[in-house]
Amino acid sequence: RQQPPAVRRVVVLLSAGMPCARSQQVAYIHTVADEDATGEVQEMYDRCRKPDGTLDNVDTIHSLNPQSFDAHHGLYTQCMHGDSPLSLMEREIVGVACALANRCQY
């Protein structure tokens, strides 16, 4: 199947070898450590824990405001798994291209 124009542009950007090294300092966000989590934060951690028992950093940043986790997760789920003319692979490519354009190592 033919790729939409936006996806073709992303593939071209990726194949052009855009630099992704970050030369500036990144922000540090304080989080509640897994072993210190209680109440609503512990419940959130238990919901988003990976099969190996660990937590992704992107999930733990919500520990100071657990309500933001549900909003963030809902947005992610809709963008990546909701109705779209783009396949999951194409959506992932867009995500990688955005990360590269922003020099994001995540």
Side-chain angles (χ1 to χ4, degrees), residues 6 39-41 74 82:
E40 193 174 6
V41 174

Side-chain angles (χ1 to χ4, degrees), residues 3-43:
Q3 297 173 333
V7 173
R8 284 196 298 273
R9 284 194 294 274
V10 168
V11 171
V12 169
L13 290 173
L14 292 175
S15 64
M18 291 177 58
C20 62
R22 185 183 279 274
S23 60
Q24 62 196 45
Q25 289 186 330
V26 295
Y28 178 79
I29 300 172
H30 293 280
T31 63
V32 175
D34 193 9
E35 59 272 8
D36 296 332
T38 60
E40 193 174 6
V41 174
Q42 184 63 54
E43 291 172 19

Side-chain angles (χ1 to χ4, degrees), residues 19-24 26 95-106:
C20 62
R22 185 183 279 274
S23 60
Q24 62 196 45
V26 295
V96 170
C98 290
L100 287 171
N102 289 303
R103 299 181 186 274
C104 175
Q105 296 176 0
Y106 194 76

Side-chain angles (χ1 to χ4, degrees), residues 36-53:
D36 296 332
T38 60
E40 193 174 6
V41 174
Q42 184 63 54
E43 291 172 19
M44 179 191 75
Y45 280 1
D46 289 343
R47 283 196 326 258
C48 63
R49 196 173 303 283
K50 296 190 300 190
D52 67 0

Side-chain angles (χ1 to χ4, degrees), residues 2 17 31 46 66 72-73 84 91 102:
Q2 177 138 4
T31 63
D46 289 343
H72 175 241
H73 191 262
S84 173
R91 296 176 207 202
N102 289 303

Side-chain angles (χ1 to χ4, degrees), residues 44-89:
M44 179 191 75
Y45 280 1
D46 289 343
R47 283 196 326 258
C48 63
R49 196 173 303 283
K50 296 190 300 190
D52 67 0
T54 60
L55 298 164
D56 285 329
N57 290 337
V58 71
D59 293 328
T60 64
I61 63 167
H62 297 285
S63 63
L64 299 181
N65 182 5
Q67 296 81 14
S68 68
F69 173 79
D70 291 330
H72 175 241
H73 191 262
L75 175 64
Y76 170 81
T77 300
Q78 178 58 41
C79 289
M80 296 306 289
H81 302 288
D83 291 337
S84 173
L86 300 178
S87 69
L88 179 58
M89 182 187 304

